[in-house]
Amino acid sequence: MLTKEKNLMPDVTGWSAAVGEIFDPFQSEQLQDPYPVYALARREEPVFYSEKMKMWYVTRYDDIVAITKQPKRFSSSGAIDVPLEQTERTRRGIAESWIAQGSLTNNDPPSHDVIRRLVSRAFSRREVAGLEEPVQRVIDELVDSFAADGHVELVQQFNFPATLRIILDHIGVDAEDPMQLRRWSDDWLAINHLPMTPDEQHATLDRLLECQEFWIDLIEQKRRAQAGDLLGEIIRASEEDSSRIPLLQLVNICMTLYVAGHTTTTDLLSLCVHRLMSDREQWQLVLDDENNIARAIEETLHVDSPVHALMRTTTEPVVVGGVHIAAGERIALLYASANHDEKYFAADRGFDLRHEYPKTHLTFGHGIHFCLGAPLARLVARLSVRTLARRLPGLRLSPEHRTAYVVNPIHRGLAELRLDWTPVGGR
């Protein structure tokens, strides 16, 4: 691995050291606002190494786009795995289970291309447009459950259950206990992204092996029933001679569709509503013209991305941003930093629905791994914000709200979002 001389960086919000020493996605101040460190890196050390995370970080827009265009040199296998200290039992259990299988985000051609073709139709713009009525029905049912209360904790009472039901309905999973699926989702994110004690690792792994059995049983049920839903179609297509996808890889596909379909959409919705509630002028733009809702969603994706980074692994020695990196090194593509790159975006821009951009954001990725679920995420977020605006008069942040972000080095979302409003007929 290449090492670099450490230069002293200018003081930024109280820090003065090499970027790799400063950078800590688990540190409370950076968890609350990572963007000053990202700006420092783009200016002084756009490609830096973090000893804490055991990875290189790439922060500028052009460098990240260039990497996404070279999948042979920068492998996406392990794209969602943060290098962590794990026990031998944990490593072996992961290697022998569905967790180690690649499907969409964490896979390379030609396997990636086969799987992407299997699921792409179900997330096309035309297909998603036909989901507006059932998605709106789920949203209305949940808002009905608290509209008369005058207050809500939006993340747990609306965002999670709405996105959970919508994606399960879409792929054709009628789960007796949807919240169990959510717990498995949290476990998968934890074992990939968070430091844990050996006991925590083993307990999490055991639960994820139970998750594996759930999906294997469901796949077999749908195979026998020749189910006509999305999951049934994927199962049938996976058995064709031209694709022939192994069972554990099929389990990974199921979990990827489910987790990607609700976790990041939940975070997008939380971040968007929080931004709007924190700036009454911007919220008024939405109330005055519902066409601004789509702009609010894109502004959130640009300014405060729910996906901050995904990883690559070098397959040969490379040079990125003038830095030599050896083969076999892990690289994090900091999309959230690229979305603020001063080369394309004004350095002092805040959240403003009136912004126009010369470049699109990278929140949904770029190149062959561009997120298939982007149209569905945008639809769910747009209909949700529209419904909240129409049905909850005087919607505002509650005095009890405290802004706290979920601890995760590649995802960004709110732990809670407390809102108040004036119920219809209330005082």
Side-chain angles (χ1 to χ4, degrees):
M1 180 189 74
L2 176 93
T3 59
K4 290 186 66 182
E5 250 184 60
K6 291 176 181 158
N7 301 313
L8 289 179
M9 297 297 154
D11 185 270
V12 174
T13 62
W15 298 307
S16 181
V19 176
E21 294 178 359
I22 292 170
F23 180 74
D24 184 352
F26 303 113
Q27 193 251 12
S28 60
E29 190 169 352
Q30 289 184 49
L31 191 65
Q32 193 77 8
D33 184 8
Y35 297 103
V37 174
Y38 294 170
L40 176 65
R42 289 193 303 274
R43 184 171 66 252
E44 302 290 346
E45 198 175 3
V47 179
F48 68 88
Y49 186 77
S50 167
E51 185 64 38
K52 180 181 184 67
M53 302 302 294
K54 309 298 182 192
M55 286 192 291
W56 293 90
Y57 281 80
V58 181
T59 63
R60 288 181 178 171
Y61 192 102
D62 289 343
D63 290 335
I64 291 175
V65 169
I67 288 172
T68 64
K69 291 179 177 179
Q70 303 175 74
K72 290 184 178 180
R73 303 181 75 202
F74 299 92
S75 169
S76 292
S77 177
I80 60 174
D81 303 337
V82 173
L84 298 167
E85 293 292 333
Q86 294 177 328
T87 69
E88 175 60 29
R89 177 186 165 189
T90 300
R91 289 193 295 271
R92 185 174 63 252
I94 288 174
E96 295 173 353
S97 74
W98 66 272
I99 304 169
Q101 301 295 312
S103 59
L104 288 166
T105 307
N106 58 337
N107 201 5
D108 292 318
S111 175
H112 163 268
D113 300 340
V114 171
I115 294 170
R116 191 174 178 93
R117 283 195 298 271
L118 289 181
V119 301
S120 60
R121 183 185 62 80
F123 291 93
S124 67
R125 292 184 184 278
R126 177 180 297 180
E127 184 76 16
V128 169
L131 296 175
E132 182 159 343
E133 184 176 336
V135 167
Q136 184 66 59
R137 186 163 54 248
V138 170
I139 291 170
D140 285 336
E141 288 176 6
L142 286 166
V143 174
D144 285 344
S145 70
F146 57 74
D149 297 341
H151 58 86
V152 69
E153 195 292 284
L154 198 72
V155 176
Q156 302 301 327
Q157 290 182 249
F158 179 76
N159 295 0
F160 262 125
T163 57
L164 188 65
R165 285 177 54 185
I166 288 165
I167 191 61
L168 291 180
D169 288 348
H170 184 49
I171 64 178
V173 177
D174 184 14
E176 292 182 7
D177 184 5
M179 296 310 290
Q180 176 61 70
L181 278 169
R182 179 188 162 186
R183 288 188 287 270
W184 285 330
S185 169
D186 291 342
D187 284 338
W188 190 21
L189 295 176
I191 208 164
N192 284 326
H193 303 154
L194 302 180
M196 291 189 285
T197 66
D199 286 346
E200 289 170 337
Q201 291 178 36
H202 300 160
T204 302
L205 179 62
D206 289 344
R207 291 192 297 270
L208 289 172
L209 294 178
E210 293 173 4
C211 170
Q212 176 173 295
E213 293 307 308
F214 166 84
W215 286 111
I216 289 175
D217 289 346
L218 183 60
I219 289 167
E220 183 55 35
Q221 291 172 25
K222 288 188 175 291
R223 182 179 286 127
R224 289 197 305 265
Q226 297 187 333
D229 52 38
L230 169 60
L231 190 51
E233 291 178 7
I234 291 174
I235 291 167
R236 281 195 299 278
S238 73
E239 295 172 339
E240 296 176 355
D241 291 338
S242 60
S243 51
R244 191 58 67 179
I245 296 173
L247 179 59
L248 291 184
Q249 190 171 39
L250 196 53
V251 171
N252 192 288
I253 294 171
C254 292
M255 275 298 283
T256 298
L257 290 176
Y258 155 68
V259 174
H262 91 276
T263 301
T264 53
T265 308
T266 291
D267 292 338
L268 167 59
L269 187 52
S270 300
L271 294 168
C272 182
V273 173
H274 182 252
R275 287 280 180 170
L276 290 170
M277 293 297 98
S278 300
D279 189 331
R280 304 309 296 182
E281 181 183 5
Q282 300 300 312
W283 180 237
Q284 192 60 49
L285 291 174
V286 167
L287 296 177
D288 291 344
D289 183 357
E290 289 186 347
N291 290 322
N292 281 324
I293 294 173
R295 297 183 68 87
I297 293 162
E298 294 309 307
E299 185 69 359
T300 303
L301 291 165
H302 228 130
V303 173
D304 204 10
S305 166
V307 178
H308 268 219
L310 288 174
M311 277 63 75
R312 299 290 188 269
T313 302
T314 57
T315 61
E316 61 183 70
V318 297
V319 178
V320 180
V323 175
H324 293 263
I325 301 175
E329 290 289 311
R330 301 279 283 150
I331 297 179
L333 310 185
L334 267 175
Y335 298 131
S337 173
N339 291 343
H340 288 255
D341 192 328
E342 294 81 2
K343 181 176 179 180
Y344 300 113
F345 315 116
D348 60 349
R349 69 188 173 95
F351 181 88
D352 193 333
L353 309 191
R354 294 160 293 201
H355 278 147
E356 299 290 343
Y357 296 110
K359 290 279 188 178
T360 187
H361 60 76
L362 298 179
T363 298
F364 289 124
H366 188 274
I368 66 171
H369 289 285
F370 184 84
C371 178
L372 285 173
L376 181 58
R378 287 179 166 121
L379 174 70
V380 174
R382 178 175 62 82
L383 296 182
S384 295
V385 173
R386 185 182 73 178
T387 303
L388 296 174
R390 287 180 175 181
R391 298 195 53 191
L392 306 180
L395 189 63
R396 57 196 179 273
L397 285 176
S398 168
E400 298 178 357
H401 173 75
R402 299 293 180 270
T403 303
Y405 292 88
V406 175
V407 178
N408 189 293
I410 71 171
H411 290 167
R412 181 167 172 83
L414 290 173
E416 65 173 28
L417 180 55
R418 297 187 180 276
L419 304 176
D420 293 338
W421 63 92
T422 305
V424 175
R427 292 185 294 174

